Amino acid sequence: GDSVTQMEGPVTLSEEAFLTINCTYTATGYPSLFWYVQYPGEGLQLLLKATKADDKGSNKGFEATYRKETTSFHLEKGSVQVSDSAVYFCALTRGETSGSRLTFGEGTQLTVNP
Amino acid sequence: DAGVIQSPRHEVTEMGQEVTLRCKPISGHDYLFWYRQTMMRGLELLIYFNNNVPIDDSGMPEDRFSAKMPNASFSTLKIQPSEPRDSAVYFCASSFSTPDTQYFGPGTRLTVL
């Protein structure tokens, strides 16, 4: 079945540091890939997405490129801020007629210190 | 748009009691999802609906859990009887089509004593 694997957390960085959170997936066909973010006490919200190979999703300084050859969708940001502290989830959906279910990774807790 | 609305935000109950969680999806969305989040198991999809019809309930833990969607603007997740291991945050999400962005509600934090 489909699966998503994220790098183990938690991740602690200083403000303005470079961020990478690794995500790899296993799925048949051509899934759509997502990064969701969950701030403390809130629900998940979409950060960015990519729907086909070599697409780059970007939002709020975060980027991720859909790499089919390595089945990866790593999240990057050049300079993190304290306000980026949250849990980040990589996810995929194949969106076939059989379903629109999102398969989530385990989440990576990011803490950014001033 | 108000976003996905869930109620209550917090629920504390005793083992054996019936618990009902409620969700109002974003108007116009025809997919509705129920998730459960725990430290041990992460995010789990319990059930989802398309046009008010349950499509996949394979994630529902056991017969104590049931979900309904009587109309396009309302869904319930019921646990009867509740057990301490049901303690978790339950999220409702909706989307317009497939595959598409899912919009999550703020969640209901359930504590079963």
Side-chain angles (χ1 to χ4, degrees), chain B residues 62-106:
Chain B
E62 48 201 271
D63 292 345
R64 297 185 298 107
F65 285 69
S66 63
K68 295 182 180 179
M69 193 165 185
N71 57 62
S73 59
F74 184 66
S75 177
T76 59
L77 178 68
K78 186 175 294 186
I79 308 172
Q80 166 63 19
S82 58
E83 297 182 2
R85 59 192 168 119
D86 302 330
S87 298
V89 180
Y90 291 81
F91 289 104
C92 176
S94 69
S95 70
F96 177 65
S97 63
T98 174
D100 200 359
T101 302
Q102 292 185 18
Y103 293 83
F104 283 73

mmCIF file of all heavy atoms in Angstrom, chain B residues 62-106:
data_model
loop_
_atom_site.group_PDB
_atom_site.id
_atom_site.type_symbol
_atom_site.label_atom_id
_atom_site.label_comp_id
_atom_site.label_asym_id
_atom_site.label_seq_id
_atom_site.Cartn_x
_atom_site.Cartn_y
_atom_site.Cartn_z
ATOM 1 N N GLU B 62 -13.522 0.023 15.499
ATOM 2 C CA GLU B 62 -14.380 -1.100 15.874
ATOM 3 C C GLU B 62 -15.826 -0.637 15.873
ATOM 4 O O GLU B 62 -16.123 0.517 15.567
ATOM 5 C CB GLU B 62 -13.975 -1.616 17.255
ATOM 6 C CG GLU B 62 -13.812 -0.534 18.306
ATOM 7 C CD GLU B 62 -12.951 -0.996 19.459
ATOM 8 O OE1 GLU B 62 -13.510 -1.563 20.410
ATOM 9 O OE2 GLU B 62 -11.727 -0.786 19.418
ATOM 10 N N ASP B 63 -16.707 -1.582 16.215
ATOM 11 C CA ASP B 63 -18.131 -1.281 16.123
ATOM 12 C C ASP B 63 -18.584 -0.182 17.067
ATOM 13 O O ASP B 63 -19.692 0.345 16.911
ATOM 14 C CB ASP B 63 -18.943 -2.553 16.399
ATOM 15 C CG ASP B 63 -18.770 -3.582 15.295
ATOM 16 O OD1 ASP B 63 -18.265 -3.188 14.221
ATOM 17 O OD2 ASP B 63 -19.126 -4.745 15.503
ATOM 18 N N ARG B 64 -17.768 0.170 18.004
ATOM 19 C CA ARG B 64 -18.161 1.245 18.931
ATOM 20 C C ARG B 64 -18.190 2.606 18.220
ATOM 21 O O ARG B 64 -18.797 3.546 18.719
ATOM 22 C CB ARG B 64 -17.186 1.311 20.108
ATOM 23 C CG ARG B 64 -17.171 0.067 20.975
ATOM 24 C CD ARG B 64 -16.277 0.252 22.187
ATOM 25 N NE ARG B 64 -14.879 0.484 21.830
ATOM 26 C CZ ARG B 64 -14.250 1.664 21.922
ATOM 27 N NH1 ARG B 64 -14.908 2.735 22.360
ATOM 28 N NH2 ARG B 64 -12.980 1.775 21.591
ATOM 29 N N PHE B 65 -17.526 2.684 17.082
ATOM 30 C CA PHE B 65 -17.458 3.928 16.331
ATOM 31 C C PHE B 65 -18.459 3.884 15.187
ATOM 32 O O PHE B 65 -18.560 2.890 14.471
ATOM 33 C CB PHE B 65 -16.058 4.126 15.744
ATOM 34 C CG PHE B 65 -15.019 4.529 16.744
ATOM 35 C CD1 PHE B 65 -14.575 3.651 17.719
ATOM 36 C CD2 PHE B 65 -14.461 5.803 16.700
ATOM 37 C CE1 PHE B 65 -13.607 4.032 18.637
ATOM 38 C CE2 PHE B 65 -13.495 6.191 17.608
ATOM 39 C CZ PHE B 65 -13.072 5.304 18.576
ATOM 40 N N SER B 66 -19.170 4.995 14.996
ATOM 41 C CA SER B 66 -20.063 5.124 13.852
ATOM 42 C C SER B 66 -20.052 6.561 13.371
ATOM 43 O O SER B 66 -19.841 7.484 14.161
ATOM 44 C CB SER B 66 -21.487 4.670 14.213
ATOM 45 O OG SER B 66 -22.024 5.506 15.219
ATOM 46 N N ALA B 67 -20.280 6.758 12.090
ATOM 47 C CA ALA B 67 -20.302 8.102 11.521
ATOM 48 C C ALA B 67 -21.459 8.213 10.552
ATOM 49 O O ALA B 67 -21.781 7.255 9.859
ATOM 50 C CB ALA B 67 -18.989 8.419 10.816
ATOM 51 N N LYS B 68 -22.036 9.400 10.530
ATOM 52 C CA LYS B 68 -23.146 9.666 9.628
ATOM 53 C C LYS B 68 -22.967 11.015 8.968
ATOM 54 O O LYS B 68 -22.302 11.908 9.506
ATOM 55 C CB LYS B 68 -24.478 9.652 10.392
ATOM 56 C CG LYS B 68 -24.855 8.312 10.978
ATOM 57 C CD LYS B 68 -26.222 8.397 11.683
ATOM 58 C CE LYS B 68 -26.611 7.041 12.271
ATOM 59 N NZ LYS B 68 -27.914 7.113 12.970
ATOM 60 N N MET B 69 -23.587 11.160 7.813
ATOM 61 C CA MET B 69 -23.622 12.447 7.134
ATOM 62 C C MET B 69 -25.014 12.604 6.546
ATOM 63 O O MET B 69 -25.243 12.269 5.368
ATOM 64 C CB MET B 69 -22.536 12.546 6.068
ATOM 65 C CG MET B 69 -22.347 13.951 5.564
ATOM 66 S SD MET B 69 -20.816 14.146 4.647
ATOM 67 C CE MET B 69 -20.872 15.924 4.354
ATOM 68 N N PRO B 70 -25.946 13.095 7.329
ATOM 69 C CA PRO B 70 -27.342 13.158 6.873
ATOM 70 C C PRO B 70 -27.584 14.171 5.764
ATOM 71 O O PRO B 70 -28.565 14.035 5.016
ATOM 72 C CB PRO B 70 -28.101 13.548 8.148
ATOM 73 C CG PRO B 70 -27.085 14.197 9.028
ATOM 74 C CD PRO B 70 -25.774 13.527 8.711
ATOM 75 N N ASN B 71 -26.709 15.173 5.655
ATOM 76 C CA ASN B 71 -26.832 16.141 4.572
ATOM 77 C C ASN B 71 -25.464 16.736 4.274
ATOM 78 O O ASN B 71 -24.487 16.443 4.982
ATOM 79 C CB ASN B 71 -27.862 17.226 4.918
ATOM 80 C CG ASN B 71 -27.524 17.953 6.195
ATOM 81 O OD1 ASN B 71 -26.482 18.590 6.287
ATOM 82 N ND2 ASN B 71 -28.393 17.852 7.199
ATOM 83 N N ALA B 72 -25.403 17.579 3.278
ATOM 84 C CA ALA B 72 -24.109 18.088 2.797
ATOM 85 C C ALA B 72 -23.430 19.024 3.776
ATOM 86 O O ALA B 72 -22.261 19.369 3.597
ATOM 87 C CB ALA B 72 -24.305 18.793 1.459
ATOM 88 N N SER B 73 -24.135 19.467 4.805
ATOM 89 C CA SER B 73 -23.554 20.466 5.696
ATOM 90 C C SER B 73 -23.351 19.971 7.117
ATOM 91 O O SER B 73 -23.072 20.758 8.014
ATOM 92 C CB SER B 73 -24.422 21.721 5.706
ATOM 93 O OG SER B 73 -25.728 21.403 6.138
ATOM 94 N N PHE B 74 -23.457 18.653 7.337
ATOM 95 C CA PHE B 74 -23.354 18.174 8.704
ATOM 96 C C PHE B 74 -22.948 16.715 8.757
ATOM 97 O O PHE B 74 -23.456 15.880 7.998
ATOM 98 C CB PHE B 74 -24.714 18.351 9.408
ATOM 99 C CG PHE B 74 -24.723 17.980 10.862
ATOM 100 C CD1 PHE B 74 -23.985 18.703 11.781
ATOM 101 C CD2 PHE B 74 -25.468 16.890 11.315
ATOM 102 C CE1 PHE B 74 -23.994 18.355 13.127
ATOM 103 C CE2 PHE B 74 -25.477 16.544 12.657
ATOM 104 C CZ PHE B 74 -24.742 17.283 13.568
ATOM 105 N N SER B 75 -22.038 16.418 9.673
ATOM 106 C CA SER B 75 -21.627 15.040 9.904
ATOM 107 C C SER B 75 -21.381 14.838 11.389
ATOM 108 O O SER B 75 -21.016 15.774 12.105
ATOM 109 C CB SER B 75 -20.352 14.717 9.131
ATOM 110 O OG SER B 75 -19.902 13.396 9.395
ATOM 111 N N THR B 76 -21.590 13.606 11.849
ATOM 112 C CA THR B 76 -21.315 13.253 13.234
ATOM 113 C C THR B 76 -20.441 12.018 13.299
ATOM 114 O O THR B 76 -20.505 11.134 12.433
ATOM 115 C CB THR B 76 -22.599 12.970 14.024
ATOM 116 O OG1 THR B 76 -23.303 11.893 13.398
ATOM 117 C CG2 THR B 76 -23.486 14.194 14.097
ATOM 118 N N LEU B 77 -19.616 11.969 14.324
ATOM 119 C CA LEU B 77 -18.839 10.792 14.668
ATOM 120 C C LEU B 77 -19.225 10.417 16.101
ATOM 121 O O LEU B 77 -19.092 11.232 17.008
ATOM 122 C CB LEU B 77 -17.345 11.067 14.579
ATOM 123 C CG LEU B 77 -16.407 9.916 14.968
ATOM 124 C CD1 LEU B 77 -16.513 8.786 13.957
ATOM 125 C CD2 LEU B 77 -14.957 10.398 15.058
ATOM 126 N N LYS B 78 -19.721 9.200 16.270
ATOM 127 C CA LYS B 78 -20.226 8.784 17.565
ATOM 128 C C LYS B 78 -19.400 7.616 18.099
ATOM 129 O O LYS B 78 -19.029 6.698 17.340
ATOM 130 C CB LYS B 78 -21.695 8.380 17.453
ATOM 131 C CG LYS B 78 -22.379 8.049 18.762
ATOM 132 C CD LYS B 78 -23.863 7.788 18.563
ATOM 133 C CE LYS B 78 -24.596 9.027 18.117
ATOM 134 N NZ LYS B 78 -26.079 8.818 18.052
ATOM 135 N N ILE B 79 -19.131 7.668 19.381
ATOM 136 C CA ILE B 79 -18.434 6.574 20.058
ATOM 137 C C ILE B 79 -19.333 6.109 21.203
ATOM 138 O O ILE B 79 -19.695 6.888 22.072
ATOM 139 C CB ILE B 79 -17.071 7.020 20.626
ATOM 140 C CG1 ILE B 79 -16.232 7.709 19.550
ATOM 141 C CG2 ILE B 79 -16.318 5.817 21.187
ATOM 142 C CD1 ILE B 79 -14.949 8.344 20.073
ATOM 143 N N GLN B 80 -19.706 4.849 21.163
ATOM 144 C CA GLN B 80 -20.607 4.303 22.174
ATOM 145 C C GLN B 80 -20.342 2.810 22.366
ATOM 146 O O GLN B 80 -20.559 2.042 21.420
ATOM 147 C CB GLN B 80 -22.061 4.525 21.774
ATOM 148 C CG GLN B 80 -23.096 3.738 22.550
ATOM 149 C CD GLN B 80 -23.146 4.085 24.036
ATOM 150 O OE1 GLN B 80 -22.661 5.133 24.441
ATOM 151 N NE2 GLN B 80 -23.713 3.202 24.836
ATOM 152 N N PRO B 81 -19.889 2.374 23.539
ATOM 153 C CA PRO B 81 -19.464 3.183 24.679
ATOM 154 C C PRO B 81 -18.019 3.642 24.522
ATOM 155 O O PRO B 81 -17.217 2.969 23.869
ATOM 156 C CB PRO B 81 -19.578 2.186 25.838
ATOM 157 C CG PRO B 81 -19.254 0.866 25.200
ATOM 158 C CD PRO B 81 -19.802 0.934 23.794
ATOM 159 N N SER B 82 -17.682 4.759 25.122
ATOM 160 C CA SER B 82 -16.321 5.277 25.025
ATOM 161 C C SER B 82 -15.399 4.549 25.999
ATOM 162 O O SER B 82 -15.833 4.031 27.037
ATOM 163 C CB SER B 82 -16.300 6.784 25.297
ATOM 164 O OG SER B 82 -16.844 7.056 26.579
ATOM 165 N N GLU B 83 -14.107 4.511 25.635
ATOM 166 C CA GLU B 83 -13.083 3.886 26.460
ATOM 167 C C GLU B 83 -11.888 4.828 26.573
ATOM 168 O O GLU B 83 -11.686 5.678 25.686
ATOM 169 C CB GLU B 83 -12.636 2.555 25.843
ATOM 170 C CG GLU B 83 -13.734 1.509 25.768
ATOM 171 C CD GLU B 83 -13.258 0.191 25.196
ATOM 172 O OE1 GLU B 83 -12.054 0.071 24.889
ATOM 173 O OE2 GLU B 83 -14.104 -0.733 25.081
ATOM 174 N N PRO B 84 -11.082 4.695 27.625
ATOM 175 C CA PRO B 84 -9.926 5.594 27.781
ATOM 176 C C PRO B 84 -9.007 5.605 26.563
ATOM 177 O O PRO B 84 -8.430 6.647 26.230
ATOM 178 C CB PRO B 84 -9.224 5.031 29.019
ATOM 179 C CG PRO B 84 -10.337 4.442 29.837
ATOM 180 C CD PRO B 84 -11.284 3.847 28.817
ATOM 181 N N ARG B 85 -8.866 4.478 25.861
ATOM 182 C CA ARG B 85 -7.972 4.443 24.698
ATOM 183 C C ARG B 85 -8.520 5.230 23.509
ATOM 184 O O ARG B 85 -7.825 5.389 22.495
ATOM 185 C CB ARG B 85 -7.709 3.002 24.270
ATOM 186 C CG ARG B 85 -8.941 2.201 23.884
ATOM 187 C CD ARG B 85 -8.600 0.737 23.756
ATOM 188 N NE ARG B 85 -9.796 -0.109 23.666
ATOM 189 C CZ ARG B 85 -10.062 -0.862 22.632
ATOM 190 N NH1 ARG B 85 -9.235 -0.916 21.610
ATOM 191 N NH2 ARG B 85 -11.158 -1.623 22.610
ATOM 192 N N ASP B 86 -9.740 5.727 23.616
ATOM 193 C CA ASP B 86 -10.295 6.588 22.562
ATOM 194 C C ASP B 86 -9.850 8.035 22.722
ATOM 195 O O ASP B 86 -10.126 8.874 21.859
ATOM 196 C CB ASP B 86 -11.829 6.543 22.582
ATOM 197 C CG ASP B 86 -12.376 5.139 22.396
ATOM 198 O OD1 ASP B 86 -11.708 4.330 21.715
ATOM 199 O OD2 ASP B 86 -13.450 4.848 22.946
ATOM 200 N N SER B 87 -9.176 8.336 23.811
ATOM 201 C CA SER B 87 -8.691 9.704 24.040
ATOM 202 C C SER B 87 -7.744 10.106 22.926
ATOM 203 O O SER B 87 -6.754 9.407 22.643
ATOM 204 C CB SER B 87 -7.995 9.804 25.399
ATOM 205 O OG SER B 87 -8.899 9.519 26.447
ATOM 206 N N ALA B 88 -8.040 11.222 22.281
ATOM 207 C CA ALA B 88 -7.286 11.665 21.104
ATOM 208 C C ALA B 88 -7.839 13.010 20.665
ATOM 209 O O ALA B 88 -8.806 13.520 21.240
ATOM 210 C CB ALA B 88 -7.425 10.659 19.959
ATOM 211 N N VAL B 89 -7.218 13.573 19.637
ATOM 212 C CA VAL B 89 -7.797 14.731 18.959
ATOM 213 C C VAL B 89 -8.425 14.220 17.668
ATOM 214 O O VAL B 89 -7.763 13.531 16.878
ATOM 215 C CB VAL B 89 -6.751 15.812 18.652
ATOM 216 C CG1 VAL B 89 -7.417 17.001 17.952
ATOM 217 C CG2 VAL B 89 -6.070 16.272 19.930
ATOM 218 N N TYR B 90 -9.672 14.549 17.459
ATOM 219 C CA TYR B 90 -10.409 14.112 16.280
ATOM 220 C C TYR B 90 -10.590 15.314 15.347
ATOM 221 O O TYR B 90 -11.108 16.354 15.740
ATOM 222 C CB TYR B 90 -11.767 13.529 16.681
ATOM 223 C CG TYR B 90 -11.624 12.213 17.412
ATOM 224 C CD1 TYR B 90 -11.322 12.191 18.771
ATOM 225 C CD2 TYR B 90 -11.774 11.011 16.740
ATOM 226 C CE1 TYR B 90 -11.161 10.977 19.442
ATOM 227 C CE2 TYR B 90 -11.623 9.796 17.406
ATOM 228 C CZ TYR B 90 -11.311 9.791 18.750
ATOM 229 O OH TYR B 90 -11.152 8.598 19.414
ATOM 230 N N PHE B 91 -10.135 15.137 14.116
ATOM 231 C CA PHE B 91 -10.228 16.198 13.119
ATOM 232 C C PHE B 91 -11.231 15.823 12.036
ATOM 233 O O PHE B 91 -11.312 14.676 11.616
ATOM 234 C CB PHE B 91 -8.873 16.439 12.447
ATOM 235 C CG PHE B 91 -7.851 17.082 13.332
ATOM 236 C CD1 PHE B 91 -6.821 16.342 13.882
ATOM 237 C CD2 PHE B 91 -7.907 18.440 13.594
ATOM 238 C CE1 PHE B 91 -5.860 16.933 14.690
ATOM 239 C CE2 PHE B 91 -6.957 19.047 14.406
ATOM 240 C CZ PHE B 91 -5.938 18.293 14.956
ATOM 241 N N CYS B 92 -11.944 16.831 11.594
ATOM 242 C CA CYS B 92 -12.784 16.732 10.417
ATOM 243 C C CYS B 92 -12.134 17.576 9.327
ATOM 244 O O CYS B 92 -11.551 18.630 9.624
ATOM 245 C CB CYS B 92 -14.177 17.254 10.754
ATOM 246 S SG CYS B 92 -15.324 17.305 9.380
ATOM 247 N N ALA B 93 -12.198 17.111 8.093
ATOM 248 C CA ALA B 93 -11.652 17.866 6.974
ATOM 249 C C ALA B 93 -12.602 17.739 5.797
ATOM 250 O O ALA B 93 -13.363 16.771 5.694
ATOM 251 C CB ALA B 93 -10.262 17.350 6.593
ATOM 252 N N SER B 94 -12.562 18.718 4.903
ATOM 253 C CA SER B 94 -13.381 18.636 3.702
ATOM 254 C C SER B 94 -12.579 19.088 2.500
ATOM 255 O O SER B 94 -11.579 19.809 2.634
ATOM 256 C CB SER B 94 -14.669 19.462 3.844
ATOM 257 O OG SER B 94 -14.403 20.855 3.858
ATOM 258 N N SER B 95 -12.997 18.622 1.326
ATOM 259 C CA SER B 95 -12.351 19.053 0.094
ATOM 260 C C SER B 95 -13.377 19.119 -1.014
ATOM 261 O O SER B 95 -14.459 18.514 -0.938
ATOM 262 C CB SER B 95 -11.187 18.133 -0.290
ATOM 263 O OG SER B 95 -11.653 16.875 -0.699
ATOM 264 N N PHE B 96 -13.001 19.840 -2.075
ATOM 265 C CA PHE B 96 -13.937 20.077 -3.167
ATOM 266 C C PHE B 96 -13.960 18.927 -4.160
ATOM 267 O O PHE B 96 -14.995 18.572 -4.684
ATOM 268 C CB PHE B 96 -13.563 21.377 -3.884
ATOM 269 C CG PHE B 96 -14.415 21.685 -5.072
ATOM 270 C CD1 PHE B 96 -15.760 21.963 -4.928
ATOM 271 C CD2 PHE B 96 -13.872 21.681 -6.348
ATOM 272 C CE1 PHE B 96 -16.557 22.235 -6.027
ATOM 273 C CE2 PHE B 96 -14.659 21.956 -7.449
ATOM 274 C CZ PHE B 96 -15.999 22.234 -7.291
ATOM 275 N N SER B 97 -12.788 18.357 -4.385
ATOM 276 C CA SER B 97 -12.735 17.294 -5.392
ATOM 277 C C SER B 97 -11.547 16.413 -5.072
ATOM 278 O O SER B 97 -10.926 16.543 -4.037
ATOM 279 C CB SER B 97 -12.607 17.888 -6.795
ATOM 280 O OG SER B 97 -11.388 18.614 -6.907
ATOM 281 N N THR B 98 -11.237 15.531 -5.977
ATOM 282 C CA THR B 98 -10.123 14.632 -5.748
ATOM 283 C C THR B 98 -9.219 14.596 -6.972
ATOM 284 O O THR B 98 -9.695 14.503 -8.080
ATOM 285 C CB THR B 98 -10.623 13.220 -5.401
ATOM 286 O OG1 THR B 98 -9.507 12.348 -5.320
ATOM 287 C CG2 THR B 98 -11.558 12.675 -6.482
ATOM 288 N N PRO B 99 -7.899 14.634 -6.833
ATOM 289 C CA PRO B 99 -7.219 14.970 -5.576
ATOM 290 C C PRO B 99 -7.201 16.473 -5.364
ATOM 291 O O PRO B 99 -7.094 17.232 -6.310
ATOM 292 C CB PRO B 99 -5.796 14.460 -5.829
ATOM 293 C CG PRO B 99 -5.605 14.608 -7.295
ATOM 294 C CD PRO B 99 -6.952 14.358 -7.920
ATOM 295 N N ASP B 100 -7.352 16.887 -4.162
ATOM 296 C CA ASP B 100 -7.400 18.320 -3.890
ATOM 297 C C ASP B 100 -7.007 18.574 -2.442
ATOM 298 O O ASP B 100 -6.947 17.652 -1.635
ATOM 299 C CB ASP B 100 -8.794 18.859 -4.160
ATOM 300 C CG ASP B 100 -8.814 20.356 -4.379
ATOM 301 O OD1 ASP B 100 -7.727 20.974 -4.300
ATOM 302 O OD2 ASP B 100 -9.891 20.905 -4.612
ATOM 303 N N THR B 101 -6.774 19.812 -2.166
ATOM 304 C CA THR B 101 -6.416 20.211 -0.812
ATOM 305 C C THR B 101 -7.549 19.880 0.146
ATOM 306 O O THR B 101 -8.714 20.158 -0.131
ATOM 307 C CB THR B 101 -6.158 21.720 -0.771
ATOM 308 O OG1 THR B 101 -5.121 22.026 -1.693
ATOM 309 C CG2 THR B 101 -5.776 22.168 0.630
ATOM 310 N N GLN B 102 -7.200 19.314 1.273
ATOM 311 C CA GLN B 102 -8.167 19.097 2.332
ATOM 312 C C GLN B 102 -8.037 20.232 3.351
ATOM 313 O O GLN B 102 -6.933 20.619 3.731
ATOM 314 C CB GLN B 102 -7.935 17.748 3.005
ATOM 315 C CG GLN B 102 -8.261 16.577 2.090
ATOM 316 C CD GLN B 102 -8.154 15.234 2.778
ATOM 317 O OE1 GLN B 102 -8.166 15.134 3.998
ATOM 318 N NE2 GLN B 102 -8.059 14.184 1.986
ATOM 319 N N TYR B 103 -9.175 20.745 3.771
ATOM 320 C CA TYR B 103 -9.220 21.814 4.751
ATOM 321 C C TYR B 103 -9.671 21.216 6.080
ATOM 322 O O TYR B 103 -10.745 20.611 6.157
ATOM 323 C CB TYR B 103 -10.178 22.920 4.298
ATOM 324 C CG TYR B 103 -9.689 23.640 3.073
ATOM 325 C CD1 TYR B 103 -9.919 23.118 1.797
ATOM 326 C CD2 TYR B 103 -8.963 24.822 3.173
ATOM 327 C CE1 TYR B 103 -9.454 23.757 0.664
ATOM 328 C CE2 TYR B 103 -8.502 25.478 2.040
ATOM 329 C CZ TYR B 103 -8.748 24.938 0.797
ATOM 330 O OH TYR B 103 -8.272 25.569 -0.321
ATOM 331 N N PHE B 104 -8.832 21.420 7.083
ATOM 332 C CA PHE B 104 -9.071 20.792 8.382
ATOM 333 C C PHE B 104 -9.768 21.755 9.336
ATOM 334 O O PHE B 104 -9.506 22.965 9.330
ATOM 335 C CB PHE B 104 -7.746 20.358 9.013
ATOM 336 C CG PHE B 104 -7.181 19.100 8.417
ATOM 337 C CD1 PHE B 104 -6.616 19.099 7.163
ATOM 338 C CD2 PHE B 104 -7.220 17.914 9.127
ATOM 339 C CE1 PHE B 104 -6.104 17.931 6.606
ATOM 340 C CE2 PHE B 104 -6.701 16.741 8.590
ATOM 341 C CZ PHE B 104 -6.149 16.757 7.324
ATOM 342 N N GLY B 105 -10.618 21.192 10.174
ATOM 343 C CA GLY B 105 -11.170 21.933 11.285
ATOM 344 C C GLY B 105 -10.173 22.018 12.424
ATOM 345 O O GLY B 105 -9.090 21.420 12.355
ATOM 346 N N PRO B 106 -10.522 22.738 13.483
ATOM 347 C CA PRO B 106 -9.604 22.928 14.609
ATOM 348 C C PRO B 106 -9.462 21.704 15.497
ATOM 349 O O PRO B 106 -8.572 21.644 16.330
ATOM 350 C CB PRO B 106 -10.231 24.084 15.386
ATOM 351 C CG PRO B 106 -11.688 23.962 15.079
ATOM 352 C CD PRO B 106 -11.773 23.479 13.664
#
